[in-house]
Amino acid sequence: MKDQSIEFRAGAGQPVPIVMPHSTQPSTSNSRIELYTQEAMVNWLGPVQLGRTGLQTAVATTIGAFADPREVLAMLNPRDSNPPIQVAADGDVWIDYLADTGDGWDSTYSMALCVSQDVKLPELTLPRGDVLLLGGDQVYPTPARSGYRTRFLDPFRAAFPAPVPKVRPAQQEQSVPQPGAPWIVATPGNHDWYDGLRGFSQLFCEQKPIGGWETRQRTSYYVLQLANGWWIWGLDLQLESLIDRQQKQYFEEMRTRLQPGDRVILCTPEPSWVDEAERLAREDKALSSIETQTPRFRSLREIEQLLGDHLAVVLAGDSHHYARYQPKAGSQAPQRITCGGGGAFLHGTHQLPDPPEPINVGGTRQRYELAGVYPDKKTSEQLRNRAWRLPTHNLPFCGMLAILYLLFDWMIQSASKIPHPARGNRSLMEVLSDFEVSIPNIREVWRQLFLVLAHSPSSVMFAVTIVLGCAVLSAAGVKRTRKLAYGVGTVHGLLHLGLAIGLLWLMGRVNIHYLQFEVENLLQVLLFLVGTLLLGGSLGGLLFGSWMVMGNTLWGLHREVVFSSQRIADHKCFLRMHFKGDQLTIYPLKLEKVCRRWSVATGVAKLAKVQRTWRLRATPESTGPRFVPATGELELRLIEPPIEIRRARTTP
């Protein structure tokens, strides 16, 4: 069978299908067994994951404040042995920028396919990048427990695999030399720091190949030197600490190598300029101070001041969307681009500041306007509004809510077994069974509940925990109107308590009043358990999802969770940049729909599949990706017209 090349077609017009490769049948005895695990997207609202995320964040932040592994890397790689990485001296270089990978297989592998191949637009072809820049958060939720292997390495090695040698090497792990192989260079994000940067350093800083890509950096920060006066600087700004001394000294030395007219593209872990603009918008201008800036923006500001007029573009991930802020006419400032669509769940764009407050860098007030965004704000709001359907896509979280309702009802019903004259020495469920389920009776139901709570400290503590949990969740990430956020969250928690007592009321009315069961009857208890779990999970999920939508719409709350709870895999993006002579052209590309059904590529033998893990056999003739879309199509398009930047000036 004749070989075919992979063609990714994209453009502003109609989508064009991709023709996937067909390799010849194996003709050699040497082969390689490959394992690939197709992980599902992280369930950020999963009960276990909620606890892990909070614990890992706290531990990583605390330990990082006392033990900084960047200092160890700096000692092992002195500045004299860590020179700029020289890239393609002919002056015509293609470089990709991809950030926030390593969540679910479908989205991450789809994007890995995109950056591993040429892109064909209607009017021109964009060759595969000579260098792939990873902008941070290469793995979710944490590098621990083989996180890098299954969520990052597997999709990237499957999309662009290393060749199988025709002759079996003496050592199994020995790589096959690849003349002209592309490079991969990475910036660590906050999730890469959750193991103290250990996994990141082993993966990217030891010159080991990643599939068909080669690694070149020696530390978590780097400098790439291109021809014609172009440079790329990658920063490591850790979690909540300022830039370390060794890294700052490294970039100060790199600054001395810049010539007049040289331009620098700066890669930073997060778009901290957005946080800074929002801080300026909410704080009293008379009290504004550098002391209230976030550590990451303060560190970024130091590097930007160091670069001065050499700075041309600032790139960042962390926010899982595309947003380009360009300087307003007459303002001297770099382009600022967020492009975090490498595979993680989608973040909204409808709350991005437009225009943002001017920020101060080096004594200059930089004024910006939002020039390009993906998905657009209307689409972002529509996606946000789908969060009310929480029970349809997050059963574990809804199950947790149902169990909380059941435990609360169990506690107050048990406490009500203590005789009380106000209830006629009956239990709460028996008393509630006498009331019709109607609005006028709600007041009496709450009165009966308070009578029980007054004699049950454990029930009170449980109720307070639920209310405080909702209040803290509502205020998470909120830096403005925190009192309002806590108040809104408190009301949310009270509604969940109301739903729990409402379920007890409904079950008592049905089981005791209509079905005439005794409260201690085993069948009644079974019906109560089943009914509370089913109704509690469904109604609780609807309440939680609807409240998130309302809180975000009215007060701007739940920015993160209203999207992370949905785990939206679509609306991915990356940048393909072309450096030629004095001009840099940035092509922002989007993939609106990721592939969700995969087939093993021709020429690769499927040996077994156990749950989500595939076992394949590859031979020297097995070229191209290991999995192909079952439909044979992926659709790439331009987000906005190409952005052109010259060494002398910036063209919006």
Side-chain angles (χ1 to χ4, degrees):
M1 187 178 294
K2 186 176 180 180
D3 288 346
Q4 297 181 3
S5 61
I6 299 178
E7 295 182 357
F8 284 79
R9 298 181 179 272
Q14 295 297 319
V16 183
I18 299 172
V19 180
M20 300 309 296
H22 299 280
S23 302
T24 58
Q25 295 298 320
S27 61
T28 175
S29 59
N30 188 32
S31 63
R32 182 173 64 202
I33 303 299
E34 301 175 347
L35 298 178
Y36 300 107
T37 301
Q38 299 182 350
E39 293 278 15
M41 296 192 77
V42 178
N43 182 5
W44 295 102
L45 276 185
V48 176
Q49 187 56 53
L50 280 173
R52 283 180 179 174
T53 301
L55 180 62
Q56 288 162 353
T57 302
V59 170
T61 303
T62 303
I63 294 178
F66 294 96
D68 194 338
R70 295 174 300 186
E71 297 179 356
V72 177
L73 284 176
M75 287 188 293
L76 295 175
N77 297 276
R79 291 193 296 274
D80 293 341
S81 64
N82 191 21
I85 304 171
Q86 303 290 331
V87 181
D90 60 2
D92 191 349
V93 182
W94 291 86
I95 294 181
D96 288 344
Y97 180 86
L98 184 71
D100 300 280
T101 62
D103 193 341
W105 169 274
D106 293 336
S107 53
T108 299
Y109 185 69
S110 294
M111 296 308 295
L113 278 179
C114 291
V115 298
S116 67
Q117 304 296 335
D118 295 352
V119 172
K120 289 193 175 181
L121 301 172
E123 65 278 7
L124 77 163
T125 297
L126 309 180
R128 183 190 67 203
D130 301 294
V131 180
L132 172 59
L133 301 177
L134 297 176
D137 288 345
Q138 277 66 246
V139 62
Y140 289 90
T142 169
R145 296 187 180 182
S146 71
Y148 273 124
R149 184 187 68 79
T150 60
R151 293 188 177 273
F152 174 79
L153 285 174
D154 280 6
F156 275 81
R157 290 190 295 203
F160 191 48
V164 180
K166 293 185 177 181
V167 178
R168 189 180 301 274
Q171 299 180 2
Q172 187 176 1
E173 299 297 326
Q174 182 178 344
S175 59
V176 180
Q178 298 182 74
W183 299 349
I184 192 167
V185 183
T187 298
N190 58 303
H191 288 270
D192 299 294
W193 267 94
Y194 285 168
D195 69 341
L197 214 63
R198 180 179 58 187
F200 179 94
S201 301
Q202 293 173 347
L203 186 61
F204 296 104
C205 302
E206 295 186 2
Q207 286 74 59
K208 296 178 180 178
I210 297 176
W213 285 282
E214 295 182 359
T215 58
R216 283 289 187 271
Q217 67 193 96
R218 297 179 178 274
T219 56
S220 56
Y221 45 89
Y222 62 86
V223 168
L224 301 182
Q225 183 176 7
L226 286 64
N228 300 312
W230 292 102
W231 300 72
I232 298 176
W233 287 16
L235 307 181
D236 176 7
L237 301 185
Q238 210 212 40
L239 295 168
E240 294 297 331
S241 63
L242 296 173
I243 188 170
D244 57 296
R245 180 173 58 87
Q246 290 83 357
Q247 183 178 180
K248 186 176 179 182
Q249 291 175 345
Y250 173 78
F251 285 118
E252 287 174 346
E253 180 177 328
M254 294 299 106
R255 170 63 178 83
T256 63
R257 305 191 182 206
L258 298 180
Q259 301 298 317
D262 285 2
R263 304 302 298 275
V264 176
I265 290 79
L266 196 60
C267 298
T268 186
E270 66 179 23
S272 54
W273 58 86
V274 176
D275 293 335
E276 174 65 6
E278 292 178 339
R279 180 187 73 85
L280 293 172
R282 66 177 176 266
E283 291 189 356
D284 189 337
K285 302 299 186 296
L287 300 178
S288 181
S289 167
I290 189 174
E291 297 301 326
T292 60
Q293 294 175 355
T294 63
R296 281 191 169 178
F297 182 76
R298 291 175 62 184
S299 299
L300 175 63
R301 183 173 177 266
E302 289 186 35
I303 299 300
E304 290 193 14
Q305 290 177 175
L306 179 67
L307 285 170
D309 293 338
H310 291 288
L311 183 59
V313 184
V314 184
L315 303 179
D318 193 65
S319 294
H320 310 160
H321 54 233
Y322 173 85
R324 180 172 67 90
Y325 284 97
Q326 70 177 10
K328 289 186 176 181
S331 176
Q332 297 297 320
Q335 294 271 350
R336 298 184 183 271
I337 301 176
T338 306
C339 189
F345 67 89
L346 180 69
H347 275 140
T349 59
H350 59 278
Q351 291 180 281
L352 288 173
D354 184 20
E357 288 290 318
I359 60 177
N360 265 304
V361 177
T364 302
R365 288 174 62 83
Q366 298 181 353
R367 301 179 182 275
Y368 285 93
E369 59 187 2
L370 188 58
V373 67
Y374 176 74
D376 61 77
K377 294 192 174 185
K378 181 179 179 180
T379 301
S380 176
E381 290 177 342
Q382 292 173 346
L383 294 171
R384 182 270 317 274
N385 294 340
R386 296 189 332 195
W388 70 270
R389 299 184 291 187
L390 190 65
T392 65
H393 53 254
N394 214 314
L395 290 178
F397 182 75
C398 294
M400 181 188 72
L401 292 177
I403 292 173
L404 290 176
Y405 300 151
L406 179 62
L407 289 175
F408 182 68
D409 288 347
W410 187 3
M411 293 176 70
I412 59 176
Q413 172 64 9
S414 298
S416 70
K417 292 296 185 67
I418 300 175
H420 194 287
R423 296 191 301 273
N425 296 329
R426 295 187 300 167
S427 70
L428 179 62
M429 191 173 183
E430 291 173 299
V431 172
L432 296 183
S433 68
D434 293 338
F435 302 131
E436 290 186 4
V437 180
S438 61
I439 295 178
N441 287 330
I442 292 178
R443 181 177 179 181
E444 180 61 23
V445 170
W446 277 102
R447 190 181 78 84
Q448 293 293 333
L449 173 64
F450 289 143
L451 287 176
V452 176
L453 292 176
H455 298 83
S456 177
S458 60
S459 300
V460 173
M461 292 301 297
F462 193 86
V464 169
T465 301
I466 292 177
V467 173
L468 286 179
C470 290
V472 170
L473 179 64
S474 180
V478 176
K479 298 180 177 64
R480 186 180 187 181
T481 62
R482 291 184 66 86
K483 292 182 179 179
L484 173 63
Y486 281 119
V488 171
T490 299
V491 174
H492 185 198
L494 292 174
L495 287 175
H496 282 287
L497 293 180
L499 178 56
I501 192 63
L503 291 171
L504 183 66
W505 181 12
L506 177 63
M507 292 295 101
R509 186 68 178 171
V510 172
N511 295 353
I512 298 176
H513 180 77
Y514 289 112
L515 299 180
Q516 296 296 306
F517 286 118
E518 294 292 332
V519 69
E520 299 294 343
N521 185 283
L522 184 60
L523 185 56
Q524 190 282 132
V525 174
L526 181 61
L527 288 174
F528 174 77
L529 290 174
V530 174
T532 302
L533 290 175
L534 291 179
L535 288 175
S538 302
L539 298 178
L542 287 174
L543 170 60
F544 198 95
S546 300
W547 192 266
M548 285 193 301
V549 173
M550 185 179 71
N552 187 262
T553 303
L554 298 180
W555 304 292
L557 306 176
H558 305 300
R559 289 190 180 188
E560 177 93 11
V561 71
V562 76
F563 281 94
S564 65
S565 63
Q566 300 183 64
R567 293 178 283 175
I568 301 173
D570 297 317
H571 305 283
K572 303 296 101 176
C573 57
F574 74 102
L575 306 177
R576 181 151 288 181
M577 301 181 286
H578 186 202
F579 296 83
K580 186 174 183 179
D582 290 337
Q583 180 168 306
L584 162 61
T585 306
I586 302 175
Y587 298 89
L589 298 164
K590 64 181 179 180
L591 181 65
E592 293 190 356
K593 294 289 184 181
V594 304
C595 179
R596 289 172 169 81
R597 294 179 58 241
W598 302 97
S599 301
V600 177
T602 305
V604 181
K606 174 186 173 182
L607 301 181
K609 181 184 180 185
V610 180
Q611 295 181 340
R612 295 191 299 267
T613 299
W614 296 71
R615 189 168 186 260
L616 308 179
R617 184 187 297 276
T619 68
E621 287 77 21
S622 302
T623 59
R626 300 305 190 228
F627 299 92
V628 297
T631 58
E633 296 183 359
L634 286 176
E635 300 172 2
L636 277 170
R637 302 177 182 176
L638 282 171
I639 296 175
E640 61 175 329
I643 304 134
E644 295 184 356
I645 299 173
R646 296 185 180 277
R647 291 181 58 196
R649 59 186 179 86
T650 300
T651 303

